[in-house]
Every structure is written in C-alpha cells, then in structure tokens.
Amino acid sequence: MSTIEQTVVVILAAGKGTRMGREDMAKVCFEIDGVPAINRIIEAFKKKRFERFLVIVGSMAQQVMKTVGKIDKQVMFVYQSPQLGTGHAGRMAADALQTMGHTGPILLTMGDKYVEPAAVEMLVEGFIKQQADLALLTIPRTRTSEISSGRVMIDKSGQAIGIVESIDLARQQIVDDLRKLMGKRQSINPIVIIDTIKKHISRPGKIAVAVPELLKLARKKSNISRKELNGILNLGKYNLTVEGEQYTSSQIDKLCRQFNPSLYLFKSPVFYRGMAMLDNNNAQGEYYMTDAVRHLGSVKDETGHRELRIRTVAAKNADIIQGFNSPDELLTIQDYVRRRKKEQDVSTGEGVQCQLKKNQYCSVNEWIRKIDTDGPKLQKWLRENYGRHDDLHNEKRKELLKVLKCYGRQFNFDDKVLIVRAPGRINLMGRHVDHRGGFNNFLALHRETIAVAGLRNDDNVIAVNTNPKLFKPQKFNISELIGRFAWTDWLNYVNSDWVRSMLRSSAGEWGNYLKAAMLRVQHKYQDLKICGMNTAIYGSVPMAAGLSSSSTLVVAALRGAIALNNLELTSHQFVDLCGEGEWFVGSRGGAGDHAAITLGQRGKIAQVGYLPFRVEKIVDAPAGYQVMIADSHIKAPKSAAAKQQFNSRIASYNLGLALLQQRCPETAHQIEYVRDLNPERLGGGTSDIYRLLLKVPETMTRKDFENTLSSEYQQLVETNFSSHDDPGLYEVRGVLLFGAAECLRSKMAIDYLKQGDMARFGELMKVSHDGDRVSRIGSNGEYVAWQVDGSEAALHKLISDLASEDPHRVLRAQLYMQPGSYACSTKEIDQMVDVACAVPGVAGAQIAGAGLGGCIMILVQKDAVKAVRKALAKEYYRPRELTPAIVNCIMVEGARLAEF
C-alpha cells in the first residue's frame, strides 16, 4: 500500500471559536465561498486520494458531525471532553488510533483552515524524500503568519527543534524593549511599561495571561525601580529559551524565517510517543500540539545523537494554507478564494456574474412567490432577524412585497435581485465620540430601510422609491462623477470644489446618499470597474428624527454594491467605508451610526470601540426595561447650516487637542485622541485632567487658532476651517471636556447594563444629555437658554471638590459626571427629556441622535411605559397640538442580505 493509502487524516475540530461571534455555529462550520471550512478541507485531502478521516469534536459536536456527514458517511469521530487544548485533542486521537491498531502514517491539521491540495502534496513528498519521522509544512513570513503562526526554529543539521509561538515572541519583545528603555536609569514610569506591553500585545485577555507579573507591577502609582523591574524580567518565563539557549526577540526574528501553519505528517509510533510527552505546565493549563516538535526534536539515542528526524517542508506561497480565528480573517480567506475563482473565470473567458447563493439572489417573481407562500424558510428568517413578534412579521411581509413590486414595475419582474435590510439605530451611550476614540453602546431598531437591487452591465445607478411623491427617481453614472476630478485620496475628493458644486445643485436629494456609497466603493477598488445597479428603496425609519435614516440608506446601498460586485470586506472595513462615504454629503462625523446599523444583534446591546475599531462587549438587553423613542416633531436638519454647526464642533475637538499637545509637550506623546484625556491613560488623577484643560482657553476665534498654533499645524487648521463657515467663537474647553467625559461614560455604561444597575446607567444618560443641553426651565416656568459653566473658576472648584473628604463632592467632581458643553440639543428636546425623567420608573432619558432636533430615547421600567406616554402627551404634544409619536423599540439583527 502507498503512504497515502495507509494514512489516517486527523482533523481537530473541537474548538469553540468565541472570537467568531456566533454562539449558534461551530467554528469549523463557517463557510468559505459557500462550503463549510471542514468539508472544504476533507475535499482537498480527497483530491490527493486520502480516504480515511478521524475528526476530533467537542463544542457543538452534533452540528459538526451533521455537517461532515453530508459529504462523507465514513468519517470517524472522537469526542473531546474536557477541551484542554490542541495537544489534548491529539492525545484523544492517539488513544483512538492505538485502540484501532493503526500503524500507518498520521496526517494532522486543524478544522479552521483553508488548505489547498498543493499543500498536502508538498507535505507528503517532503515526508518521503527526507525520510522524516515527523514532517511539518512551513510557510514564509506574511502579515498574517507573523500574527497568528508560531516560528519554527531549525538547527544547522536541518532538524526542527522548537516552535516559538507569537505570544512568547511578543513577551520577549516587551522584555527587550524595557531593558533598552531602562538603560542606565534607576527607575521607570509605569505608563511606559503599559505602553510597551500594548505595543506588542493588544488584547487585554492575552496581556493578562502573557505578562501578569509585569502588569501588576505597572499598576503602581509611583515610578518602578530598576531592582523591582529586573526582579520580574529575570523570571524564567520572561527569558525565551530553546534547548537551553537563551534568545532575544531580534535573534529569533533573524533565525526563524519559517512559520508553522499546523499541517503535520507523523509516523504513527512517533505520533503516539509525542502525544504522551506533552504536558500542561503553562498559564492556561492546556496541552499544545506545537510542543510535540520540541519534545520529539530533543530525543537523543544512547550515543547522544538525535534519535528522530524532525524535518520541515517549506512552501513558497503562504496562501496555500490559511487559518482563521475571527470574522476578519475568514473574510480574508473568502477574498482570496473569490479572486482565484475570478482569475479562473477570466482565463476561461467567462464574464463576471453575481456569485450569491440562490436563497440570496433570485428573480423578483420568485421572491414574491416565496413571501406569498410563507414557507418555513421565510418564517425562520423572520424569527432570526426580528424575534418572535407576529405582528411585526406581518408588517415586514407587506414591506418586502411593496418594495419588490415597486422594483418589478419600474424595471422587470424577471430580473434577479438581492434584498438588503438596514435597521435604524439607537446609541444608548457615547454621543459624538466615535471619531474621538470613544465607544458606542447601541441597539438596532425594527424601523429600517429595505433595498431591492439588481446588477447592471454598465456603471449607471438608477433608483426609485416606494414613496415617489417625496423621493423622485434618481440616476447617475459612477465613472462620470469620479472621473471629472483628478483626486488622490477620498478626503481630497469630497473637499473638492467639484463635489461642493455638485452638492449645491442637488441639495436635499436622497440620491446623494446612494452616490456616497457607490463612489466610496469605486474609490476603494480603483483597479476594478464597479458595476452599477437598479434599485428600489422602502424606508420606515422616521426622517430627521435622529435615528440615522440617511445612514441606513448608505449602509443598504453599499452592502448591495459589495454583494453584487462579488467583493468581500471585513466588518471593520465595511463600517469605515460607510462612515467615510457619508463625508460625500458634507458631514465629517465618524462611523458610529453605520457600526450600529451593521453590527446590531437581536435582543442585545453591543459596545463598539473606535481607533481601532473593535466590538468590545455584547450584553443582553436589561430585563424588565423598555427602550422608548419619542419624536419631538422638530426635524433634525440635514441642511448646510446644521452641517456647519456639527463640523464646527469637530474643529473644536481637533484644534483644541492640537493646542493642548503643543502646550503640554511632556504628555503630548500620550494624547493621540480625546479619549486619552483620561487619568488611567496619563497615570495621574482626575484633577490632573482638569489642570490640563485649564491650559486651553474657554473660547477661541479663528484668528486665535492661527496666531497660537505653530506652523506644523497649518494643514490641520486649513482642513478644519474648510469644512464650515466661521462660527465666530469655538467652545474649545467645553467640547474637550464633554469628549473626555463622554468617552469615559461610554466605556463604563456597558458594565452597568451587564450588572443590571439601571439607576447608575440612567444617571449617565442624564449627565450625557446635559452636555448637549441648551435650555433649562426658568423661575417663570418657561425654558431659558442655559450653558454649562466651563470657566477657570468652575474647573478650580472641581479640583477643590476632589481634594475634599466630602463623599458627595468627590463623586460629583469625577470626570464621568461632567457634562461639558457640546450643545447640540434644542429647547423642545430638553423639555421632553425633563418630562420623561420626572416619571417614576424612568432610569434616564437623553437626545437620541446627533442633535438639533429629532427624538429622545427613554430607558424605563416596563410597568411605567404607559405613564411615560401619558406624561409626554399631556405636557409636550397636546399643548403644541402635535400627534404623539412614541415607539416601543424592538431590538433586531443588524444589516443583512435576505436569505430564504
């Protein structure tokens, strides 16, 4: 029998894959170009004539077995419990194979991989030619392999003697940097230690595991002495050794040029021996497969020579085997497979066609038939996206039919189309700070935009709306709009006179948001010609209400364009493109709204951080509480005047922070964003933040900025001034104080929700709204103009309160309790917030959107919902002869393509 015929392929598929963000799907069952990852691996091996498979299952074992069973009923399964690492899974495989009496080779890999048949062929050939006891495939350095793959150390004889994991190398880099930074000093600032750690390890969980002793030391308030630091750095775990030799990170980088993608071929006695040698003497108490290389490579015979031949097989192309641990990494693989297919299509003369699945892309008539028959697939899709709300399901069926028939009448009922839904959003905490490095805490709302879109064979976009009286048909050509201006980057393009002139001539047209999406995609893919689309749009998100109706249009259009053009983006890239795309219409905000619309989860509240973008935490909505939206009937304007005001606040952020950096050079390197105005970040107390803000004037004019900021900030000044007309005065200190405090509030809020502490969360809502507040009720019962006191005296009082021993004064002086002054509310919104907050059972209320009108959001106990409705009707709506517009929010899934 040949080597291949004798071999059993072992696939480790027991992992949970928590970073993939889906509790209902096993990691190895995520699809790569429509095929579950584990099935794709099995098919790759079968192409090279492997027929015997053993899969180690654990988390969601039934789902994995059912998935594999669809393509091969003969696969053997072993259940791993408890799951103590890849090495433990290998032991389980060894026990099973030994019990079966297997004596042939054993090929082992992981189920969360993309493996090309060429990689398998190379490994087998290298195993045979080198007469290896264990052969492992290696790949060259790439950005991905540097982050996720261990480095293989090879001695002068060609023996693989160890694998240095990325986390171990990162720890050694931290040690080497700290030794260099310490130099001849006798002490070091703990902030420097923290910054050095975060430079090499970004995830808090990994930091806690890799360098817990160093982390504990760095939490000291005072400087760290040389003796204290060396006491940690001299510990064994902080000194990287292989076979008794100690190495620096630069030495490892120089010596280890090959990376381990986890594809191994063992002789069976060596596999059994290696698995028996594994131990779990590490911080996680787990067994690691990679340790087998170190153990087996060091085995000596009676003469002191290496007993086993552990050899590497070097692949020149790292793309032939790729792993994934997160949605971003999976999408990178998807993009690679898509490009490979496209190259093959071009070579065979096939045209580019939409590659969506049939349940995502079919004729208008077929969609209508599926909705009319109301089959189980549609019902399942409705439940997954909207929960168990029968009335809402009926409403959504009607909306889908309405927009599909609109498309069919305008274009063709036989056209193949996709359907995109993009829900409105509510940001419970984190106003105006996504572009400052803060957090949003959002939910996706059942009011949404639904787009039906079909692919065109040119680059025209034709759009119609189900409400043609309000929204006239739109038509534009992508190349014409892009090609008229010699742009270098997106910001230069949207700042150009050409774009400004175009927007003035089409002011208020809803098609501008479609242009924002399509032009941003074309700019992203400058080497491709983006195909246009025919589209019909339906929307139920109230306009100008602060619920991001315009952003839902951008998200829906961009999602449709990406899918129709067979493009792949990570969630991060998609959200950024949406946010940047909306700059086209004149705003200069961040991507917080688009993140909420895209990443929302049914019944959940998600905390998303920015700069860098990440999903920080996801928690269940608070039990016993209802989020309500009440419309003021004051339209949040999209006018030029409104954008002037919004952009002037952005300028206050940018130029105020630049001035602070200039005047505080000793801390400038630590203050990159407004969120860095934080006691923890700067290693001081809250009073130090207030002292920093005293270095910035309360208000400044344009001339003040030009005369104060040095020449290195000239471009920053010009760029910010170009986004809006001169407002006269910029409220610099108040805006910076609001931003710093709101960043902290937005970070804290999710933990209060998780703990069910609605009183403290509600208090944050009230303080946050005060930062936007422009009026308070006066002594005569009327609302009068109001502004937070941002004077030097007010900041000195806060410093004094912090130094007092009065618990109440100290609490009220905390940074997160300061509203600052962003001032984007209205008198009507302020009154509605006050009316709602006066109702027993209301935890808190505040403005819902970017400001200048729109809605308020209210967090209220469910048994007090009627009382809130009654109070708002009595004190706000009836006196103004307005129809009450109050909605109980249903939390739904974020933007998705329809699949049924």
Side-chain angles (χ1 to χ4, degrees), residues 674-692:
V674 172
R675 61 124 183 266
D676 297 327
L677 294 173
N678 181 298
E680 184 179 347
R681 167 66 178 165
L682 299 182
T686 301
S687 57
D688 294 320
I689 303 299
Y690 300 146
R691 292 188 182 94
L692 282 175

Side-chain angles (χ1 to χ4, degrees), residues 550-576:
S550 57
S551 294
T552 65
L553 194 55
V554 173
V555 170
L558 202 144
R559 178 70 76 190
I562 292 293
L564 289 172
N565 283 275
N566 304 320
L567 305 173
E568 294 281 358
L569 291 174
T570 65
S571 296
H572 181 183
Q573 291 169 331
F574 180 82
V575 168
D576 279 350

Side-chain angles (χ1 to χ4, degrees), residues 612-781:
F613 174 91
R614 65 225 181 262
V615 179
E616 198 75 15
K617 297 177 182 177
I618 298 175
V619 303
D620 291 330
Y625 279 79
Q626 175 68 54
V627 177
M628 303 176 69
I629 290 292
D631 194 341
S632 67
H633 291 293
I634 304 296
K635 298 300 182 185
K638 296 289 183 182
S639 64
K643 288 166 187 169
Q644 300 285 343
Q645 184 167 336
F646 291 138
N647 290 344
S648 74
R649 300 295 193 274
I650 301 296
S652 294
Y653 269 143
N654 292 336
L655 301 180
L657 195 67
L659 181 59
L660 193 61
Q661 291 167 331
Q662 178 176 293
R663 290 184 170 178
C664 305
E666 69 282 0
T667 58
H669 68 286
Q670 295 173 263
I671 305 174
E672 186 176 3
Y673 304 111
V674 172
R675 61 124 183 266
D676 297 327
L677 294 173
N678 181 298
E680 184 179 347
R681 167 66 178 165
L682 299 182
T686 301
S687 57
D688 294 320
I689 303 299
Y690 300 146
R691 292 188 182 94
L692 282 175
L693 290 172
L694 284 168
K695 296 180 183 292
V696 177
E698 187 173 357
T699 60
M700 295 181 73
T701 64
R702 288 195 169 189
K703 191 170 184 179
D704 292 334
F705 280 122
E706 291 167 342
N707 292 338
T708 306
L709 287 170
S710 62
S711 58
E712 68 178 289
Y713 295 108
Q714 181 179 352
Q715 183 61 50
L716 180 70
V717 170
E718 291 176 357
T719 299
N720 277 271
F721 286 172
S722 70
S723 70
H724 61 285
D725 295 335
D726 188 348
L729 286 178
Y730 292 88
E731 302 285 342
V732 185
R733 186 187 292 157
V735 169
L736 283 178
L737 178 56
F738 171 86
E742 188 76 357
C743 283
L744 196 52
R745 286 189 287 268
S746 68
K747 183 179 181 181
M748 300 165 61
I750 199 78
D751 291 326
Y752 290 158
L753 287 174
K754 187 175 182 179
Q755 296 159 12
D757 193 341
M758 295 302 103
R760 296 178 76 177
F761 184 87
E763 184 68 18
L764 292 185
M765 291 181 74
K766 295 170 187 176
V767 176
S768 177
H769 180 77
D770 282 347
D772 267 319
R773 184 181 287 275
V774 295
S775 64
R776 279 201 185 279
I777 194 164
S779 56
N780 62 353

Side-chain angles (χ1 to χ4, degrees), residues 808-870:
H808 179 72
R809 289 176 62 192
V810 172
L811 175 63
R812 300 305 300 180
Q814 294 302 311
L815 180 58
Y816 65 85
M817 294 298 290
Q818 306 315 307
S821 182
Y822 208 84
C824 275
S825 183
T826 67
K827 183 174 70 173
E828 293 82 2
I829 290 287
D830 291 339
Q831 183 185 358
M832 291 180 76
V833 167
D834 292 343
V835 169
C837 287
V839 177
V842 170
Q846 68 176 124
I847 194 168
L852 305 183
C855 296
I856 69 166
M857 57 185 176
I858 309 156
L859 184 63
V860 56
Q861 292 176 5
K862 289 184 176 179
D863 57 7
V865 166
K866 288 183 179 179
V868 171
R869 288 178 175 274
K870 185 176 180 181

Side-chain angles (χ1 to χ4, degrees), residues 420-423 444 555-556 559 574 596-600 893-897:
V420 189
R421 45 169 298 277
V555 170
R559 178 70 76 190
F574 180 82
I597 294 163
T598 304
L599 301 173
E893 286 290 304
R896 302 283 189 278
L897 295 183

